[in-house]
Amino acid sequence: MYIFARFKHKAMESIKELLVTEQLDREVTVRGWVRTKRGNAYVNFVAMNDGSSVNNIQCVFDLEGSFKEADLIKVTTGACVSIKGQLVASEGKGQRVEVKATSFEVHGEADPEKFPIQPKKHSLEFLRENAHLRMRTSTFSSVFRVRHALTFAIHKYFNDRGFYNIHSPILTATDGEGAGEMFRVSTLDAKNPPLNEDGSVDFSEDFFGKQTNLCVTGQLEAELAALALSKVYTFGPTFRAENSNTSRHLAEFWMIEPEVAFYDIYDNMDLAEDFLKETIKYVMETCPDDLQFLSDRIVQEEKGLPQDKRQPMELLEKLNFVVNNDFARITYTEAVDILRNSQPNKKKKFQFLVNEWGVDLQSEHERYLVEKHFQKPVIITGYPAKIKAFYMKLNEDGKTVAAMDILFPGIGEIVGGSQREERYDVLLQKVKDFHIPEESVWWYLDTRKFGTVTHSGFGLGFERLMLFLTGMTNIRDVIPFPRTPKNCEF
Ligand code: 4AD
Ligand code: MG
């Protein structure tokens, strides 16, 4: 097996490595950003963090020996500093090792009067406004280390099972979901665009010679690939101009879309459930400190709240529960029956009452099913054809499709997928019924003419799984620089 050579360039141990090394009583250099400085007239303790771990390393400055307090005046919270010293077993409590400083260099100062991230509790709203600096906090550095681990887990999961990663295009001329929530991409003069005789914009003069958008999905292209490479997945940014200013929607989010030839809807459910469990497990194994920190953070936040306002389980307990229990699997028809007979429906507590078969499920209904009724993740299949996308396989009853949504506690829909309509004439009819211009999907229809076969896939909202893993409650806090209506800063 090929193993990458250890990164030798400027060999410098990270704080993460120093905190666990067995080789003590030697000179080391710590490079990073000052989290806190405290102490007295005899000694100063500087907590340093370089982003490699949620834990800081303590550097001790002896003010009775080599240093005077005035020397350390620029060593303040937020400053970037290198500290040389002896790595020794710590005499104090709270850390295994510490660095007895012998010299230091300040690379970049941070004026304490102006640096926004002070060692105190900041609200998540405040940190969102300072997203350029928020990764310097324990909460956000943990979130983004977890984000990396989850990305890696996803690629590893598919690679280990013989899937090929396909880069689906970001610029597209099709509305893959048919929901019309696309961002237009154009180089036409916005003030003075070329016009057709009827006054509409003449997109034939635009860069691509037709109207183009940012992708809302990579699925249609993933299907083309699956009908050649059998098992594929995409993992890319996705753009939706839906004006939903909620804690679960972004205008730019990342989606993972596996697509598998010869898989039916049941294989698809098994794949999705296994995939979610295995990737969560991987992050639990590789990020124990970050997840523990995030778990404790929620316990702190919820202190003082009444019991019914707190999370029913602590974060790690919740993750373990999901990994170790089967998801519930029900049909849309069963879901409607449960909801119709539920207390909030009878007492008219739902904003949207569930009275008849065929209505779309709202997030209040999804959360009732997951959090109150089943108290675990739920997979719902067999939705009415009318409320789902054109490409889903029509069931024999002629009115439902082989769709599947996976709902998670605290989040609602995390995965949407289906078995695909592989019959040419049925798909063509659907394209017509949904008023999709045939010339925009001729290539998609073509795959149903040449070597078509049963196939299935799904889309996972990456940030929604991040919400679940980290216990954060606003989707803006699990992506480095969120894009939402009226917000494209940084
Ligand atoms: O259910 P959706 O719209 O499904 C598709 O796009 C299919 N093409 C997937 C497929 O079958 N290959 O979106 C999939 C998932 C949702 O379940 C949700 O988790 C996430 O993408 N999602 C969003 N996440 C953040 N912000 C938004 N605005 C989102 N819209 C969808
Ligand atoms: Mg969906």
Side-chain angles (χ1 to χ4, degrees):
M1 198 172 99
Y2 181 79
I3 297 175
F4 287 101
R6 197 172 176 284
F7 182 61
K8 280 278 175 4
H9 175 68
K10 268 200 166 177
M12 177 86 59
E13 285 156 297
S14 65
I15 290 174
K16 181 182 179 174
E17 289 169 310
L18 291 176
L19 287 171
V20 296
T21 182
E22 295 297 331
Q23 294 157 281
L24 302 184
D25 304 311
R26 61 188 170 104
E27 180 169 85
V28 297
T29 306
V30 171
R31 297 193 297 190
W33 291 266
V34 176
R35 280 290 168 81
T36 58
K37 183 175 73 172
R38 61 185 179 85
N40 50 40
Y42 315 109
V43 64
N44 267 196
F45 300 101
V46 175
M48 291 286 292
N49 192 286
D50 64 359
S52 59
S53 162
V54 69
N55 300 308
N56 303 326
I57 196 160
Q58 171 161 289
C59 298
V60 186
F61 288 81
D62 180 1
L63 300 185
E64 293 182 303
S66 340
F67 302 101
K68 291 197 284 292
E69 203 168 354
D71 297 336
L72 299 183
I73 196 118
K74 291 176 179 167
V75 179
T76 57
T77 297
C80 184
V81 183
S82 289
I83 300 172
K84 221 179 238 177
Q86 283 290 115
L87 185 70
V88 297
S90 176
E91 289 159 24
K93 270 199 237 152
Q95 64 277 322
R96 192 180 70 94
V97 297
E98 62 190 17
V99 175
K100 281 202 180 317
T102 51
S103 66
F104 72 95
E105 183 187 346
V106 177
H107 303 291
E109 299 170 28
D111 183 343
E113 300 286 302
K114 295 189 183 137
F115 183 57
I117 316 288
Q118 288 301 316
K120 61 165 199 174
K121 190 172 162 358
H122 291 292
S123 71
L124 293 172
E125 290 77 16
F126 172 84
L127 292 171
R128 238 169 265 151
E129 286 159 17
N130 288 281
H132 58 309
L133 297 169
R134 70 177 174 171
M135 291 190 207
R136 305 245 195 118
T137 64
S138 302
T139 298
F140 284 95
S141 62
S142 285
V143 165
F144 295 122
R145 278 188 297 272
V146 168
R147 192 176 164 111
H148 164 78
L150 182 59
T151 302
F152 191 79
I154 290 167
H155 284 298
K156 179 169 161 45
Y157 179 88
F158 288 123
N159 186 60
D160 287 352
R161 288 159 182 80
F163 283 68
Y164 298 108
N165 182 212
I166 296 292
H167 294 132
S168 50
I170 288 169
L171 298 173
T172 169
T174 45
D175 180 357
E177 291 299 308
E181 292 164 337
M182 295 169 301
F183 286 101
R184 184 184 304 147
V185 174
S186 174
T187 54
L188 292 178
D189 181 356
K191 257 199 232 142
N192 195 17
L195 298 178
N196 294 311
E197 272 174 17
D198 65 1
S200 60
V201 174
D202 180 7
F203 287 105
S204 70
E205 300 227 1
D206 208 343
F207 189 90
F208 293 107
K210 56 170 124 174
Q211 198 171 329
T212 47
N213 319 292
L214 297 178
C215 68
V216 293
T217 171
Q219 178 198 321
L220 303 193
E221 288 85 359
E223 281 188 56
L224 312 183
L227 294 173
L229 299 170
S230 294
K231 296 199 275 186
V232 301
Y233 71 105
T234 69
F235 189 157
T238 313
F239 308 88
R240 293 197 185 173
E242 47 194 335
N243 216 340
S244 12
N245 227 329
T246 77
S247 57
R248 297 174 310 116
H249 287 87
L250 290 164
E252 176 181 291
F253 63 99
W254 289 67
M255 187 152 52
I256 294 91
E257 297 184 274
E259 192 69 36
V260 192
F262 312 105
Y263 266 30
D264 64 15
I265 188 72
Y266 301 99
D267 302 318
N268 204 24
M269 284 192 265
D270 291 343
L271 174 69
E273 182 168 344
D274 186 61
F275 164 69
L276 288 165
K277 288 175 172 172
E278 289 301 315
T279 50
I280 292 171
K281 244 192 251 174
Y282 179 90
V283 176
M284 292 175 78
E285 281 161 16
T286 50
C287 301
D289 292 354
D290 290 318
L291 292 180
Q292 188 62 57
F293 174 84
L294 291 166
S295 183
D296 295 345
R297 178 191 160 272
I298 300 165
V299 173
Q300 283 295 328
E301 291 276 301
E302 292 185 341
K303 247 186 203 161
L305 288 182
Q307 193 63 43
D308 64 325
K309 290 267 161 11
R310 292 189 208 164
Q311 301 286 334
M313 286 185 209
E314 282 189 24
L315 180 61
L316 291 168
E317 194 187 346
K318 179 186 84 174
L319 298 178
N320 266 314
F321 179 82
V322 164
V323 162
N324 294 319
N325 285 283
D326 288 343
F327 296 3
R329 297 184 182 196
I330 57 167
T331 62
Y332 167 88
T333 304
E334 286 163 340
V336 166
D337 281 343
I338 294 169
L339 291 166
R340 213 189 263 152
N341 296 314
S342 68
Q343 287 303 320
N345 203 56
K346 285 186 181 153
K347 292 188 175 159
K348 302 199 166 29
K349 288 266 159 62
F350 282 142
Q351 194 189 339
F352 299 91
L353 295 179
V354 180
N355 294 321
E356 56 184 297
W357 193 94
V359 295
D360 205 355
L361 301 184
Q362 305 293 328
S363 95
E364 57 180 345
H365 308 135
E366 297 177 342
R367 296 188 68 158
Y368 174 83
L369 289 168
V370 174
E371 287 157 33
K372 296 279 187 305
H373 190 84
F374 288 103
Q375 300 188 328
K376 60 177 177 173
V378 179
I379 311 183
I380 305 183
T381 50
Y383 281 85
K386 277 200 195 113
I387 59 170
K388 289 291 184 187
F390 75 98
Y391 51 71
M392 297 190 181
K393 167 107 179 185
L394 193 62
N395 287 328
E396 270 169 24
D397 60 15
K399 58 176 194 173
T400 62
V401 283
M404 63 169 209
D405 275 9
I406 304 186
L407 316 178
F408 260 37
I411 293 168
E413 181 190 335
I414 194 162
V415 161
S418 71
Q419 186 173 323
R420 316 308 187 188
E421 184 53 74
E422 84 278 18
R423 296 165 294 184
Y424 177 79
D425 32 332
V426 182
L427 185 61
L428 182 63
Q429 191 54 48
K430 279 291 236 2
V431 165
K432 287 182 177 149
D433 293 347
F434 280 72
H435 306 294
I436 298 166
E438 244 174 272
E439 67 277 11
S440 74
V441 288
W442 65 269
W443 42 272
Y444 185 71
L445 287 162
D446 244 16
T447 55
R448 274 58 173 177
K449 285 193 216 155
F450 310 118
T452 188
V453 73
T454 301
H455 62 286
S456 301
F458 61 84
L460 164 72
F462 184 70
E463 285 77 17
R464 299 230 176 135
L465 183 54
M466 276 294 295
L467 282 177
F468 186 71
L469 261 171
T470 59
M472 302 298 284
T473 51
N474 192 317
I475 200 161
R476 293 165 180 78
D477 296 331
V478 294
I479 186 164
F481 304 106
R483 271 78 181 96
T484 49
K486 302 274 180 288
N487 170 36
C488 197
E489 198 68 41
F490 311 107

